[in-house]
């Protein structure tokens, strides 16, 4: 899709369709639609007055213009209540608009960034969010489709119609939004790819080729021998089930535009398939466990976006990657692993593997003397029970860092909710024969998983994001079609901007 920003009036945009956003509780026609309403003999006023178009969030009505204005169609789009309206609602509205245009086989869409749905005085943020909504809303994973029900539908162009005075700021915002959205879609592709075609080695190769493509990112891939030399016993323990078949990788991405400043280190869980290991998961739904590398994919995507935006902040990405499979070599429940830090972990459940591989990555992170470490992982089913599919769980050892993450989540539309990490919770992971055990049972499962990670977080501010409930979308939302959401990328970009000292609305 081609994205253009033009200072053209709505009524004179010669496109297939233009969007008109209308609020539920605003019964007067917004000013910028006045001319169009006149040209259409009062049709819009009538539809509003009669209540035939409500303006409820998501309401849509596609009307032909019969040559009365330059565009062939006008799409009325409900924006919901004025009080609820903020940047994420705009992102959603644009996604709905591009989908409606695509599904009606219209190829050029005009989207006004003026009048009704503007958000006061943030032209750049508006441009960014509009671009994100459009690209994320149009995302489709088609790599394995050979049959299409119809001729493929494509939206060819989106033209953002803006005030001349705001053209530069909007265009800048659009450019950033495009880069961020493309990084999110890149992560989504990595996650959607079936485990057979997204092994640890392939994931590492995808990270490396991304790093070659984008300037200023350095990528190093540690293979089994190096992982062994580093004594990453927890990662190797999980990898044992497929050692010799699909060996593990430890992926390192570095973006260091500012020498001698402590970096922000991002750690992502890279389980390319989680069968549970010997503590095998039930068959139903197991196919979804290809998404157990969503944290890793988010980190790879975030590094891509941060480098493309050339943010003035040092960032490192660490992704321990392995499958979790049963085999004659797989670890047994009851085995004890010695992690890289030297601590011992009794593996009471081989399905609690994410915390094992992350613990070695948290130890490895220490060598960077990080300003902060943030890990992302589809870590616990308990997170889905606690927060459902609406929020990322955040826990950590440093409240100011958690506050900054929560604010970045709110700004990006990837919202978080904090859970407590009181020391009493670590009672549940005490082992009779090792330093700790890898499962604390069902009560507070998200917290006890974080309690284990906390034992490996070194002498740095650390926070953990559990994205188990938010990394996969079952039904489809405006800008997150069914499947991988790519969650985390936008939050991490916002956090990196914060670390770079840049403020956003
Ligand atoms: N990858 C899973 C967590 C998960 C579950 C993510 C459902 C997304 C949806 C993780 O490795 C796991 O299996 N966790 C166990 C831990 C338990 C054995 C202590 C869980 O949550 O059941
Ligand atoms: Mn598991
Ligand atoms: Zn897992």
């Amino acid at each position: 899709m081609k994205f253009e920003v033009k200072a053209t009036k709505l009524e004179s945009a010669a496109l297939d369709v233009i969007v008109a956003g209308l609020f539920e509780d605003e019964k007067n026609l917004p000013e910028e639609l006045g001319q169009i309403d006149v040209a259409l003999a009062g049709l819009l006023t009538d539809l509003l007055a009669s209540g035939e178009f409500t303006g409820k969030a998501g309401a849509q009505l596609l009307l032909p213009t019969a040559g009365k204005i330059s565009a062939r169609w006008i799409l009325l789009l409900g924006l919901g209540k004025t009080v609820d309206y903020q940047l994420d609602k705009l992102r959603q509205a644009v996604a709905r608009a591009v989908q409606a245009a695509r599904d009606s086989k219209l190829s050029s869409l005009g989207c006004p960034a003026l009048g009704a749905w503007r958000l006061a005085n943030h032209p750049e943020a508006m441009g960014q969010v509009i671009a994100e909504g459009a690209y994320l809303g149009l995302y489709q994973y088609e790599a394995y489709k050979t049959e299409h029900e119809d001729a493929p539908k494509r939206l060819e162009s989106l033209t953002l119609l803006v005030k001349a005075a705001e053209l530069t700021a909007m265009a800048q915002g659009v450019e950033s939004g495009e880069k961020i959205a493309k990084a999110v879609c890149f992560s989504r592709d990595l996650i959607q790819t079936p485990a057979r075609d997204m092994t640890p080695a392939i994931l590492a190769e995808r990270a490396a080729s991304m790093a070659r493509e984008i300037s200023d990112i350095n990528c190093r891939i540690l293979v089994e021998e190096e992982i062994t030399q580093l004594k990453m016993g927890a990662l190797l323990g999980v990898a044992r089930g497929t050692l010799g078949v699909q060996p593990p990788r430890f992926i390192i991405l570095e973006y260091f535009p500012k020498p001698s400043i402590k970096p922000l280190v991002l750690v992502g869980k890279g389980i390319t398939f989680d069968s549970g290991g010997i503590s095998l998961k039930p068959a139903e739904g197991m196919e979804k466990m290809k998404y157990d590398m969503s944290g890793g994919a988010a980190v790879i995507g975030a590094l891509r976006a941060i480098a493309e935006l050339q943010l003035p902040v040092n960032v490192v990405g660490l992704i321990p990657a392995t499958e979790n499979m049963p085999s004659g070599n797989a670890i047994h429940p009851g085995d004890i692993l010695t992690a890289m830090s030297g601590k011992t972990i009794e593996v009471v459940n081989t399905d609690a593997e994410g915390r094992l591989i992350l613990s070695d990555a948290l130890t490895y992170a220490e060598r960077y003397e990080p300003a902060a470490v943030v890990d992302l992982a589809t870590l616990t089913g308990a997170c889905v029970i606690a927060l459902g599919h609406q929020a990322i769980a955040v826990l950590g050892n440093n409240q100011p860092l958690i506050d900054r993450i929560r604010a970045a989540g709110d700004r990006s539309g990837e919202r978080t909710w904090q859970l407590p990490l009181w020391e009493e919770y670590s009672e549940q992971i005490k082992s009779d024969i090792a330093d700790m055990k890898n499962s604390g049972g069902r009560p507070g499962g998200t917290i006890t998983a974080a309690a284990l990670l906390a034992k490996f977080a070194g002498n740095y501010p650390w926070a953990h994001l559990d994205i188990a409930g938010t990394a996969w979308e079952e039904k489809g939302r405006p800008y997150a079609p069914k499947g991988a959401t790519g969650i985390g990328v936008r939050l991490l970009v916002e956090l990196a901007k914060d670390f770079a000292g840049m403020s956003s609305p």
Side-chain angles (χ1 to χ4, degrees), residues 269 274 281 289 291-292 349 351-353 355 378-382 439 468:
K269 173 175 173 182
D274 184 10
K281 285 184 182 294
M289 279 299 130
Y291 91 94
D292 215 17
N349 189 323
D351 197 11
E353 83 298 338
R355 62 201 77 182
T378 45
L379 205 63
T380 63
S439 167

Side-chain angles (χ1 to χ4, degrees), residues 375-399:
D375 78 73
L376 285 88
T378 45
L379 205 63
T380 63
C383 180
V384 190
I385 304 302
L387 298 173
H389 303 292
Q390 310 304 329
I392 299 171
V394 56
L395 310 92
N397 64 12
N398 183 287
Q399 195 58 41

Side-chain angles (χ1 to χ4, degrees), residues 188-368:
R188 285 179 179 177
D189 283 346
L190 296 176
I191 299 163
Q192 296 277 15
T193 309
R196 168 60 50 187
D197 295 335
M198 190 48 63
T199 61
I202 299 172
L203 181 64
E205 187 38 52
R206 295 305 262 310
S209 65
M210 179 278 286
R212 283 192 295 272
E213 233 171 78
I214 310 286
S215 36
D216 301 327
I217 307 186
N218 178 40
C219 179
R220 273 187 299 138
I221 310 290
L222 308 184
V223 297
E224 188 188 331
E225 292 68 29
E226 293 153 294
I227 295 170
T228 309
Q229 265 166 22
L230 284 165
K231 300 199 168 73
M232 291 185 166
L235 170 58
L236 280 171
V238 176
R240 280 263 291 282
T242 43
L243 222 52
V245 186
Q246 297 297 348
R249 294 288 186 269
F250 191 87
I251 305 167
I252 303 168
L253 293 165
E254 293 167 340
Y255 169 69
F256 270 88
K258 305 201 72 107
S260 81
I261 291 180
K262 289 181 170 188
L264 171 63
V265 177
L266 308 174
V267 176
K269 173 175 173 182
I271 295 288
T272 57
F273 190 75
D274 184 10
S275 71
I278 297 297
S279 312
L280 196 64
K281 285 184 182 294
E284 193 174 328
M286 201 201 276
E287 74 281 0
K288 261 178 58 187
M289 279 299 130
K290 65 176 185 182
Y291 91 94
D292 215 17
M293 35 62 80
S294 295
V299 169
I300 299 172
L303 265 117
R304 170 176 160 158
I306 290 164
E308 282 220 276
L309 293 167
Q310 290 283 303
L311 299 185
V313 54
N314 293 337
V315 185
V316 176
L318 302 175
I319 301 107
T322 175
E323 297 193 335
N324 182 25
M325 295 289 275
S327 85
N329 279 321
I331 43 169
H332 318 83
D335 282 355
I336 293 175
L337 302 173
T338 303
M340 183 181 176
S341 75
K343 293 192 169 120
T344 57
I345 311 170
E346 183 189 4
V347 180
V348 294
N349 189 323
T350 64
D351 197 11
E353 83 298 338
R355 62 201 77 182
L356 297 174
I357 68 168
L358 290 173
S359 61
D360 280 340
L362 290 174
T363 303
Y364 189 86
E366 275 185 79
R367 67 184 55 199
Y368 290 99

Side-chain angles (χ1 to χ4, degrees), residues 65-78:
T65 62
K68 302 279 176 15
I69 60 170
S70 306
R72 291 174 47 229
W73 298 84
I74 178 162
L75 173 68
L76 303 189
L77 196 68

